[in-house]
Amino acid sequence: MKNGWRKWAAVGLAGIFAASMLAGCGSGSSTSTDTQTSTDTQSASDSGEASAEATETNYDVDNMEFNNVELRVSFRFSTNETDGQSVWYHQMVEKFNEENEGQIHVTDESISTESDYEEKLTTDFASGDAPNAFLQYGGSRAKEYVDAGYVLDLTPYFEQYPDWYDGIQEFAWETTQFEGHDGTYGIPWSSYQLIMFYNRDLLEQAGVEVPETWDELIDVCAKLQEAGIQPFNYSDKDNFHYEHLMSVMALKAYGTGIADDLATDAEAYNGEKMVQIYQLMKDMIDNGYWGDSVLATDVATERSMFEAGQAAFFIDGSWNCGNFQNSSDTALFDAQTIGAARVPAVDEAYKTTEMGGGSDTYYIVTLNKSDEEIAATVKFIKYLTTIDAFNSMCEASPTTYAGKVTIESGNYLLDEVNAIMAENTDSKLELPNYDTNTAAMDTVRNALQALGTGSSAQEIGDDIVNKMSAYE
């Protein structure tokens, strides 16, 4: 599974290269900003010419003059008015456009559904008409664009603005580092950890405690059912929920080494270790602990059902601290009925090993972009990721961020999550992120959905390996 490329990349990236040639290798019209893409610098280097312009490059984007630059950005913010992060973001775009009227105008092309977003982003890059900035989780999903040379190295901008770089927590930078590439390709804005939220009242009603191990969780689920309480409404209509849980369960069964072992083929997705994880997940479905609509319910609906008291547990990211506070139904949050706990450990030795770290990361595109566009995009992304911006976003949606938030959130649930994270001993991102096979994430996610259609654990693993092999 090493050094794989998606099949679309073999054809699609060839199309990109062709489009780049037709567009003058990505350097648009000349500008007065003195900015310069890495593509321009490389061209001068390749020709053996000394580049005086390179030594005079201006990275002070806050003090540049721009002339009606139009930017398209492709992120995943929704239009849901109860989503505090999305509301904050759209307000920031409007404010930025007002402050930069006549110089820079940003058009947001967000798609909140992850699968649709990924499909459009792939198509846009393959056509050579990529947005000026996009949002990704790093790892294999972003590496193909970095490998192709279409993502901006922000190192000189961070040198220009050291406070900008220093405003990000150290652990979050993993999403901007790529094997084989020096530099910092992007800036993270969110961080996360997978958390098991629980309903204190329902657990008390069934006479059970918050489980700390997977065996305890199974026992608690059985007792909840006996008491007429649904343990979970765990779903995968969104095509990422099962993969999130699979990743954290494997980390809590085998430690963080499993990530590298899978990436280097020391372990296989259809090997004994991973099949055991799929089987534990399948057992939850077969016993009815995850509910009746495991592929028909999206995460937002699942969260709403939990908030309505229709399940004892809800496993999802720490970002839900803000969602619970901003939801249309905040009764359980207001009463502090919702609690936060670690996902139960499969092996107690890895109780404090977690899935988490830097998450959503902004990447700036150089493909077919003028120097002025690139500089304007940096200015916009910087606008969204200063400490002041993180503070205002945390006020709008209290949760864990990549930035160094310096305010008190006033969210009791976030305090519980931060206390948990402070005691972590190890963490990794989602396991497929570490695989050099760029099809890993989509393949694993798609295959795991078959848990809800009756496939065996071994069949799930074999399906992953067989389909990933086609992209090697």
Side-chain angles (χ1 to χ4, degrees):
M1 294 182 289
K2 293 177 284 187
N3 301 319
W5 280 84
R6 289 180 184 171
K7 281 188 174 178
W8 75 262
V11 178
L13 287 180
I16 293 176
F17 285 118
S20 299
M21 294 294 288
L22 291 173
C25 295
S27 74
S29 60
S30 61
T31 72
S32 60
T33 64
D34 291 330
T35 58
Q36 180 176 348
T37 67
S38 58
T39 304
D40 296 331
T41 304
Q42 187 63 48
S43 296
S45 174
D46 290 345
S47 65
E49 299 175 2
S51 176
E53 183 181 359
T55 64
E56 300 171 358
T57 299
N58 178 14
Y59 297 105
D60 188 7
V61 295
D62 285 342
N63 292 305
M64 290 179 183
E65 293 294 325
F66 297 92
N67 183 23
N68 291 316
V69 179
E70 289 288 338
L71 302 179
R72 295 165 40 237
V73 296
S74 181
F75 304 144
R76 288 192 52 224
F77 294 102
S78 72
T79 56
N80 189 335
E81 294 183 358
T82 65
D83 183 339
Q85 290 179 347
S86 294
V87 171
W88 174 88
Y89 166 73
H90 290 297
Q91 290 174 345
M92 290 291 281
V93 172
E94 183 177 355
K95 184 180 177 183
F96 180 87
N97 284 337
E98 290 175 355
E99 293 178 2
N100 294 274
E101 186 174 1
Q103 294 197 54
I104 306 171
H105 182 269
V106 176
T107 298
D108 175 68
E109 298 180 350
S110 286
I111 299 176
S112 59
T113 304
E114 185 166 355
S115 57
D116 293 339
Y117 174 82
E118 293 295 337
E119 182 177 354
K120 186 176 189 303
L121 188 63
T122 297
T123 301
D124 287 348
F125 266 98
S127 70
D129 188 27
N132 294 90
F134 65 98
L135 203 64
Q136 263 297 2
Y137 305 137
S140 59
R141 280 190 166 182
K143 188 176 188 299
E144 55 195 312
Y145 304 126
V146 176
D147 286 344
Y150 300 138
V151 177
L152 182 67
D153 176 9
L154 284 168
T155 301
Y157 298 95
F158 292 137
E159 292 173 351
Q160 175 73 40
Y161 302 109
D163 289 345
W164 185 22
Y165 182 90
D166 292 341
I168 303 297
Q169 300 186 75
E170 195 61 36
F171 72 84
W173 288 108
E174 184 179 6
T175 59
T176 71
Q177 308 299 312
F178 298 90
E179 184 178 355
H181 300 277
D182 294 328
T184 303
Y185 295 84
I187 182 164
W189 71 263
S190 72
S191 66
Y192 77 104
Q193 179 169 309
L194 211 62
I195 294 291
M196 186 171 74
F197 299 98
Y198 62 92
N199 185 312
R200 304 181 200 274
D201 290 347
L202 293 182
L203 296 190
E204 182 178 352
Q205 183 179 327
V208 296
E209 301 291 331
V210 179
E212 295 185 359
T213 68
W214 200 262
D215 287 341
E216 290 175 359
L217 176 63
I218 294 172
D219 182 59
V220 166
C221 286
K223 291 178 179 177
L224 286 166
Q225 274 193 341
E226 291 172 3
I229 299 169
Q230 179 59 38
F232 292 88
N233 289 303
Y234 206 81
S235 58
D236 199 38
K237 182 179 180 180
D238 292 296
N239 193 27
F240 66 84
H241 222 22
Y242 286 1
E243 181 270 316
H244 280 186
L245 185 60
M246 177 276 292
S247 289
V248 73
M249 288 175 67
L251 291 168
K252 285 178 167 290
Y254 312 120
T256 56
I258 190 64
D260 292 333
D261 287 345
L262 287 170
T264 60
D265 294 338
E267 292 288 345
Y269 277 99
N270 63 347
E272 181 179 356
K273 285 186 175 181
M274 295 308 298
V275 169
Q276 287 178 354
I277 299 300
Y278 314 144
Q279 187 61 53
L280 289 175
M281 298 172 70
K282 180 173 170 55
D283 291 344
M284 298 293 283
I285 295 174
D286 292 345
N287 289 322
Y289 298 155
W290 282 2
D292 298 326
S293 302
V294 293
L295 293 180
T297 305
D298 59 28
V299 176
T301 302
E302 182 185 340
R303 183 175 64 246
S304 296
M305 296 169 74
F306 174 76
E307 290 173 318
Q310 297 176 21
F313 298 113
F314 172 61
I315 294 179
D316 202 34
S318 51
W319 53 79
N320 284 286
C321 296
N323 288 336
F324 289 132
Q325 180 175 329
N326 294 315
S327 179
S328 57
D329 183 358
T330 62
L332 295 186
F333 177 85
D334 293 341
Q336 298 194 12
T337 301
I338 301 172
R342 296 182 184 277
V343 175
V346 179
D347 183 335
E348 287 189 75
Y350 302 107
K351 176 182 177 181
T352 54
T353 298
E354 300 293 346
M355 189 192 89
S359 181
D360 293 304
T361 299
Y362 293 117
Y363 300 95
I364 295 173
V365 176
T366 60
L367 172 63
N368 296 333
K369 308 304 179 191
S370 71
D371 299 345
E372 190 175 27
E373 282 183 272
I374 293 170
T377 308
V378 172
K379 182 174 182 176
F380 173 62
I381 297 301
K382 181 175 180 290
Y383 187 81
L384 297 177
T385 52
T386 63
I387 289 181
D388 286 344
F390 280 116
N391 283 339
S392 66
M393 183 160 51
C394 191
E395 288 178 338
S397 181
T399 187
T400 50
Y401 290 102
K404 297 176 181 177
V405 174
T406 60
I407 63 169
E408 295 293 330
S409 70
N411 184 300
Y412 83 91
L413 205 51
L414 181 56
D415 292 339
E416 292 186 21
V417 169
N418 283 333
I420 290 170
M421 294 178 70
E423 296 180 353
N424 290 352
T425 54
D426 290 292
S427 67
K428 281 284 190 182
L429 302 174
E430 301 164 66
L431 297 185
N433 264 337
Y434 298 95
D435 205 301
T436 55
N437 188 324
T438 55
M441 184 68 77
D442 291 338
T443 301
V444 171
R445 289 184 172 186
N446 291 336
L448 286 172
Q449 284 194 313
L451 286 169
T453 60
S455 293
S456 71
Q458 188 63 57
E459 288 171 338
I460 297 294
D462 291 341
D463 186 43
I464 294 172
V465 170
N466 291 337
K467 288 181 177 175
M468 285 178 65
S469 66
Y471 297 92
E472 293 182 333

Short mmCIF file of all heavy atoms in Angstrom, two decimals, residues 217-261:
data_model
loop_
_atom_site.label_atom_id
_atom_site.label_comp_id
_atom_site.label_asym_id
_atom_site.label_seq_id
_atom_site.Cartn_x
_atom_site.Cartn_y
_atom_site.Cartn_z
N LEU A 217 -18.15 -1.37 28.54
CA LEU A 217 -19.16 -0.74 27.69
C LEU A 217 -20.20 -1.75 27.23
O LEU A 217 -21.41 -1.46 27.25
CB LEU A 217 -18.49 -0.10 26.47
CG LEU A 217 -19.43 0.52 25.44
CD1 LEU A 217 -20.22 1.68 26.03
CD2 LEU A 217 -18.66 0.97 24.19
N ILE A 218 -19.76 -2.92 26.82
CA ILE A 218 -20.70 -3.95 26.39
C ILE A 218 -21.65 -4.33 27.52
O ILE A 218 -22.86 -4.48 27.31
CB ILE A 218 -19.93 -5.18 25.88
CG1 ILE A 218 -19.15 -4.82 24.60
CG2 ILE A 218 -20.86 -6.35 25.61
CD1 ILE A 218 -18.21 -5.90 24.12
N ASP A 219 -21.11 -4.46 28.71
CA ASP A 219 -21.93 -4.80 29.88
C ASP A 219 -22.94 -3.70 30.18
O ASP A 219 -24.11 -3.97 30.45
CB ASP A 219 -21.02 -5.03 31.09
CG ASP A 219 -21.81 -5.45 32.33
OD1 ASP A 219 -22.50 -6.49 32.27
OD2 ASP A 219 -21.74 -4.73 33.35
N VAL A 220 -22.49 -2.45 30.09
CA VAL A 220 -23.38 -1.31 30.33
C VAL A 220 -24.48 -1.24 29.28
O VAL A 220 -25.65 -0.98 29.59
CB VAL A 220 -22.58 0.00 30.37
CG1 VAL A 220 -23.50 1.22 30.28
CG2 VAL A 220 -21.74 0.07 31.64
N CYS A 221 -24.13 -1.49 28.03
CA CYS A 221 -25.13 -1.45 26.96
C CYS A 221 -26.23 -2.50 27.20
O CYS A 221 -27.42 -2.22 26.99
CB CYS A 221 -24.48 -1.70 25.61
SG CYS A 221 -23.51 -0.31 24.97
N ALA A 222 -25.83 -3.68 27.64
CA ALA A 222 -26.82 -4.72 27.92
C ALA A 222 -27.76 -4.29 29.04
O ALA A 222 -28.98 -4.51 28.97
CB ALA A 222 -26.10 -6.02 28.30
N LYS A 223 -27.23 -3.69 30.09
CA LYS A 223 -28.05 -3.25 31.21
C LYS A 223 -28.96 -2.08 30.82
O LYS A 223 -30.10 -1.97 31.31
CB LYS A 223 -27.16 -2.87 32.38
CG LYS A 223 -26.45 -4.07 33.01
CD LYS A 223 -25.53 -3.66 34.15
CE LYS A 223 -24.87 -4.89 34.77
NZ LYS A 223 -23.91 -4.55 35.84
N LEU A 224 -28.46 -1.21 29.95
CA LEU A 224 -29.31 -0.12 29.46
C LEU A 224 -30.48 -0.67 28.67
O LEU A 224 -31.63 -0.22 28.84
CB LEU A 224 -28.48 0.83 28.59
CG LEU A 224 -27.51 1.76 29.31
CD1 LEU A 224 -26.53 2.38 28.32
CD2 LEU A 224 -28.26 2.86 30.06
N GLN A 225 -30.22 -1.65 27.82
CA GLN A 225 -31.31 -2.27 27.05
C GLN A 225 -32.34 -2.90 27.98
O GLN A 225 -33.55 -2.78 27.76
CB GLN A 225 -30.74 -3.32 26.10
CG GLN A 225 -30.29 -2.78 24.76
CD GLN A 225 -30.04 -3.88 23.75
OE1 GLN A 225 -29.86 -5.05 24.09
NE2 GLN A 225 -30.00 -3.51 22.48
N GLU A 226 -31.87 -3.59 29.00
CA GLU A 226 -32.78 -4.22 29.96
C GLU A 226 -33.66 -3.19 30.65
O GLU A 226 -34.81 -3.48 31.02
CB GLU A 226 -31.98 -4.99 31.02
CG GLU A 226 -31.27 -6.23 30.47
CD GLU A 226 -30.35 -6.86 31.50
OE1 GLU A 226 -30.32 -6.35 32.66
OE2 GLU A 226 -29.64 -7.83 31.17
N ALA A 227 -33.13 -1.97 30.81
CA ALA A 227 -33.88 -0.90 31.45
C ALA A 227 -34.73 -0.12 30.45
O ALA A 227 -35.36 0.88 30.81
CB ALA A 227 -32.92 0.05 32.17
N GLY A 228 -34.76 -0.57 29.20
CA GLY A 228 -35.56 0.09 28.17
C GLY A 228 -34.93 1.36 27.63
O GLY A 228 -35.61 2.23 27.08
N ILE A 229 -33.61 1.47 27.76
CA ILE A 229 -32.88 2.66 27.30
C ILE A 229 -31.98 2.28 26.13
O ILE A 229 -31.22 1.30 26.20
CB ILE A 229 -32.02 3.25 28.44
CG1 ILE A 229 -32.93 3.68 29.60
CG2 ILE A 229 -31.19 4.42 27.95
CD1 ILE A 229 -32.17 4.02 30.87
N GLN A 230 -32.06 3.03 25.04
CA GLN A 230 -31.21 2.77 23.87
C GLN A 230 -29.80 3.24 24.16
O GLN A 230 -29.57 4.42 24.48
CB GLN A 230 -31.76 3.50 22.64
CG GLN A 230 -30.94 3.33 21.38
CD GLN A 230 -30.81 1.87 20.96
OE1 GLN A 230 -31.76 1.08 21.09
NE2 GLN A 230 -29.63 1.48 20.49
N PRO A 231 -28.79 2.36 24.05
CA PRO A 231 -27.41 2.78 24.34
C PRO A 231 -26.89 3.86 23.37
O PRO A 231 -26.39 4.89 23.80
CB PRO A 231 -26.62 1.49 24.21
CG PRO A 231 -27.61 0.39 24.46
CD PRO A 231 -28.89 0.90 23.85
N PHE A 232 -26.98 3.59 22.07
CA PHE A 232 -26.49 4.50 21.03
C PHE A 232 -27.52 4.58 19.90
O PHE A 232 -28.35 3.69 19.73
CB PHE A 232 -25.19 3.99 20.39
CG PHE A 232 -23.97 4.00 21.26
CD1 PHE A 232 -23.68 2.90 22.06
CD2 PHE A 232 -23.08 5.06 21.24
CE1 PHE A 232 -22.54 2.87 22.84
CE2 PHE A 232 -21.94 5.05 22.01
CZ PHE A 232 -21.65 3.96 22.82
N ASN A 233 -27.39 5.64 19.09
CA ASN A 233 -27.97 5.66 17.75
C ASN A 233 -26.80 5.88 16.78
O ASN A 233 -26.76 6.86 16.05
CB ASN A 233 -29.00 6.78 17.61
CG ASN A 233 -30.26 6.48 18.38
OD1 ASN A 233 -30.91 5.46 18.16
ND2 ASN A 233 -30.62 7.35 19.32
N TYR A 234 -25.83 4.96 16.82
CA TYR A 234 -24.57 5.18 16.11
C TYR A 234 -24.75 4.90 14.63
O TYR A 234 -25.12 3.79 14.23
CB TYR A 234 -23.47 4.28 16.70
CG TYR A 234 -22.10 4.86 16.49
CD1 TYR A 234 -21.61 5.84 17.34
CD2 TYR A 234 -21.31 4.46 15.42
CE1 TYR A 234 -20.35 6.40 17.15
CE2 TYR A 234 -20.05 4.99 15.22
CZ TYR A 234 -19.58 5.98 16.08
OH TYR A 234 -18.34 6.52 15.87
N SER A 235 -24.44 5.90 13.81
CA SER A 235 -24.78 5.84 12.39
C SER A 235 -23.56 6.10 11.51
O SER A 235 -22.53 6.55 11.98
CB SER A 235 -25.83 6.91 12.09
OG SER A 235 -25.32 8.19 12.44
N ASP A 236 -23.74 5.84 10.20
CA ASP A 236 -22.64 6.11 9.27
C ASP A 236 -23.15 6.58 7.92
O ASP A 236 -22.51 6.35 6.88
CB ASP A 236 -21.77 4.86 9.07
CG ASP A 236 -20.40 5.22 8.49
OD1 ASP A 236 -19.85 6.26 8.88
OD2 ASP A 236 -19.88 4.45 7.66
N LYS A 237 -24.28 7.26 7.91
CA LYS A 237 -24.76 7.81 6.65
C LYS A 237 -23.77 8.82 6.08
O LYS A 237 -23.64 8.98 4.87
CB LYS A 237 -26.13 8.47 6.86
CG LYS A 237 -26.74 9.04 5.58
CD LYS A 237 -28.10 9.66 5.84
CE LYS A 237 -28.70 10.22 4.56
NZ LYS A 237 -30.03 10.84 4.79
N ASP A 238 -23.05 9.52 6.98
CA ASP A 238 -22.10 10.54 6.55
C ASP A 238 -20.78 9.96 6.05
O ASP A 238 -19.91 10.70 5.59
CB ASP A 238 -21.80 11.49 7.71
CG ASP A 238 -23.01 12.33 8.07
OD1 ASP A 238 -23.45 13.12 7.22
OD2 ASP A 238 -23.51 12.19 9.20
N ASN A 239 -20.59 8.65 6.20
CA ASN A 239 -19.42 7.97 5.64
C ASN A 239 -18.11 8.38 6.31
O ASN A 239 -17.08 8.44 5.66
CB ASN A 239 -19.33 8.21 4.13
CG ASN A 239 -18.33 7.29 3.46
OD1 ASN A 239 -18.07 6.19 3.93
ND2 ASN A 239 -17.76 7.74 2.37
N PHE A 240 -18.13 8.68 7.59
CA PHE A 240 -16.87 8.89 8.31
C PHE A 240 -16.97 8.42 9.76
O PHE A 240 -15.96 8.18 10.41
CB PHE A 240 -16.45 10.36 8.30
CG PHE A 240 -17.37 11.29 9.07
CD1 PHE A 240 -17.23 11.46 10.43
CD2 PHE A 240 -18.35 12.01 8.41
CE1 PHE A 240 -18.06 12.32 11.14
CE2 PHE A 240 -19.19 12.87 9.11
CZ PHE A 240 -19.04 13.02 10.47
N HIS A 241 -18.19 8.25 10.26
CA HIS A 241 -18.40 7.96 11.67
C HIS A 241 -17.78 6.63 12.08
O HIS A 241 -17.12 6.54 13.13
CB HIS A 241 -19.91 7.96 11.94
CG HIS A 241 -20.29 8.64 13.21
ND1 HIS A 241 -19.52 9.58 13.83
CD2 HIS A 241 -21.40 8.50 13.98
CE1 HIS A 241 -20.12 10.01 14.92
NE2 HIS A 241 -21.27 9.37 15.04
N TYR A 242 -17.97 5.59 11.27
CA TYR A 242 -17.41 4.28 11.61
C TYR A 242 -15.88 4.30 11.55
O TYR A 242 -15.21 3.68 12.37
CB TYR A 242 -17.94 3.20 10.66
CG TYR A 242 -19.38 2.80 10.89
CD1 TYR A 242 -20.15 3.39 11.89
CD2 TYR A 242 -19.97 1.81 10.10
CE1 TYR A 242 -21.47 3.01 12.08
CE2 TYR A 242 -21.29 1.43 10.30
CZ TYR A 242 -22.04 2.04 11.29
OH TYR A 242 -23.34 1.65 11.47
N GLU A 243 -15.34 5.02 10.56
CA GLU A 243 -13.88 5.08 10.44
C GLU A 243 -13.27 5.81 11.63
O GLU A 243 -12.20 5.42 12.13
CB GLU A 243 -13.51 5.76 9.12
CG GLU A 243 -12.01 5.86 8.87
CD GLU A 243 -11.44 7.15 9.43
OE1 GLU A 243 -12.07 8.21 9.23
OE2 GLU A 243 -10.38 7.10 10.08
N HIS A 244 -13.92 6.88 12.10
CA HIS A 244 -13.43 7.56 13.30
C HIS A 244 -13.33 6.58 14.47
O HIS A 244 -12.30 6.52 15.16
CB HIS A 244 -14.39 8.70 13.68
CG HIS A 244 -14.19 9.94 12.87
ND1 HIS A 244 -14.85 11.12 13.13
CD2 HIS A 244 -13.40 10.19 11.78
CE1 HIS A 244 -14.49 12.04 12.26
NE2 HIS A 244 -13.62 11.49 11.43
N LEU A 245 -14.40 5.83 14.69
CA LEU A 245 -14.42 4.91 15.82
C LEU A 245 -13.41 3.78 15.61
O LEU A 245 -12.71 3.38 16.56
CB LEU A 245 -15.83 4.34 16.02
CG LEU A 245 -15.99 3.45 17.25
CD1 LEU A 245 -15.68 4.21 18.53
CD2 LEU A 245 -17.42 2.88 17.32
N MET A 246 -13.33 3.25 14.40
CA MET A 246 -12.37 2.20 14.12
C MET A 246 -10.95 2.66 14.46
O MET A 246 -10.16 1.92 15.06
CB MET A 246 -12.46 1.81 12.64
CG MET A 246 -11.45 0.75 12.19
SD MET A 246 -9.81 1.44 11.75
CE MET A 246 -10.19 2.37 10.28
N SER A 247 -10.63 3.90 14.09
CA SER A 247 -9.29 4.43 14.34
C SER A 247 -8.99 4.51 15.83
O SER A 247 -7.93 4.06 16.30
CB SER A 247 -9.12 5.81 13.69
OG SER A 247 -9.06 5.72 12.29
N VAL A 248 -9.92 5.08 16.58
CA VAL A 248 -9.64 5.23 18.01
C VAL A 248 -9.63 3.88 18.72
O VAL A 248 -8.84 3.65 19.65
CB VAL A 248 -10.63 6.21 18.68
CG1 VAL A 248 -12.02 5.59 18.85
CG2 VAL A 248 -10.11 6.66 20.05
N MET A 249 -10.47 2.94 18.29
CA MET A 249 -10.47 1.62 18.90
C MET A 249 -9.15 0.90 18.65
O MET A 249 -8.59 0.26 19.56
CB MET A 249 -11.64 0.79 18.37
CG MET A 249 -13.01 1.24 18.88
SD MET A 249 -14.36 0.32 18.09
CE MET A 249 -14.07 -1.36 18.75
N ALA A 250 -8.62 1.01 17.43
CA ALA A 250 -7.34 0.37 17.12
C ALA A 250 -6.22 0.99 17.94
O ALA A 250 -5.33 0.29 18.45
CB ALA A 250 -7.05 0.48 15.63
N LEU A 251 -6.24 2.32 18.08
CA LEU A 251 -5.22 2.99 18.89
C LEU A 251 -5.31 2.56 20.34
O LEU A 251 -4.30 2.42 21.03
CB LEU A 251 -5.38 4.50 18.76
CG LEU A 251 -5.03 5.12 17.40
CD1 LEU A 251 -5.49 6.56 17.33
CD2 LEU A 251 -3.53 5.02 17.15
N LYS A 252 -6.54 2.35 20.81
CA LYS A 252 -6.75 1.97 22.20
C LYS A 252 -6.60 0.46 22.42
O LYS A 252 -6.68 -0.02 23.54
CB LYS A 252 -8.13 2.44 22.67
CG LYS A 252 -8.19 3.94 22.93
CD LYS A 252 -9.58 4.38 23.34
CE LYS A 252 -9.54 5.80 23.91
NZ LYS A 252 -8.88 5.86 25.22
N ALA A 253 -6.40 -0.27 21.34
CA ALA A 253 -6.13 -1.70 21.44
C ALA A 253 -4.66 -2.01 21.29
O ALA A 253 -4.12 -2.91 21.95
CB ALA A 253 -6.93 -2.46 20.38
N TYR A 254 -3.96 -1.25 20.42
CA TYR A 254 -2.59 -1.61 20.05
C TYR A 254 -1.58 -0.47 20.23
O TYR A 254 -0.39 -0.67 20.00
CB TYR A 254 -2.56 -2.08 18.59
CG TYR A 254 -3.63 -3.09 18.27
CD1 TYR A 254 -4.60 -2.84 17.30
CD2 TYR A 254 -3.69 -4.30 18.96
CE1 TYR A 254 -5.59 -3.78 17.01
CE2 TYR A 254 -4.68 -5.24 18.67
CZ TYR A 254 -5.62 -4.96 17.70
OH TYR A 254 -6.61 -5.89 17.43
N GLY A 255 -2.05 0.72 20.62
CA GLY A 255 -1.15 1.85 20.77
C GLY A 255 -0.93 2.56 19.45
O GLY A 255 -1.39 2.14 18.39
N THR A 256 -0.20 3.68 19.51
CA THR A 256 -0.02 4.51 18.32
C THR A 256 0.82 3.83 17.23
O THR A 256 0.78 4.25 16.08
CB THR A 256 0.64 5.85 18.69
OG1 THR A 256 1.88 5.59 19.38
CG2 THR A 256 -0.27 6.66 19.61
N GLY A 257 1.56 2.79 17.58
CA GLY A 257 2.37 2.09 16.59
C GLY A 257 1.56 1.48 15.47
O GLY A 257 2.09 1.24 14.38
N ILE A 258 0.27 1.24 15.71
CA ILE A 258 -0.56 0.62 14.68
C ILE A 258 -0.68 1.53 13.46
O ILE A 258 -0.82 1.04 12.33
CB ILE A 258 -1.97 0.28 15.23
CG1 ILE A 258 -2.75 -0.58 14.24
CG2 ILE A 258 -2.74 1.54 15.61
CD1 ILE A 258 -2.16 -1.94 13.98
N ALA A 259 -0.59 2.85 13.67
CA ALA A 259 -0.69 3.77 12.54
C ALA A 259 0.47 3.57 11.57
O ALA A 259 0.28 3.44 10.35
CB ALA A 259 -0.71 5.21 13.04
N ASP A 260 1.68 3.54 12.10
CA ASP A 260 2.85 3.34 11.24
C ASP A 260 2.89 1.92 10.67
O ASP A 260 3.31 1.71 9.53
CB ASP A 260 4.13 3.61 12.03
CG ASP A 260 4.28 5.08 12.39
OD1 ASP A 260 3.73 5.92 11.65
OD2 ASP A 260 4.92 5.37 13.41
N ASP A 261 2.44 0.95 11.46
CA ASP A 261 2.45 -0.44 10.99
C ASP A 261 1.54 -0.61 9.78
O ASP A 261 1.89 -1.31 8.82
CB ASP A 261 2.02 -1.39 12.11
CG ASP A 261 3.09 -1.55 13.18
OD1 ASP A 261 4.24 -1.18 12.92
OD2 ASP A 261 2.76 -2.04 14.27
#
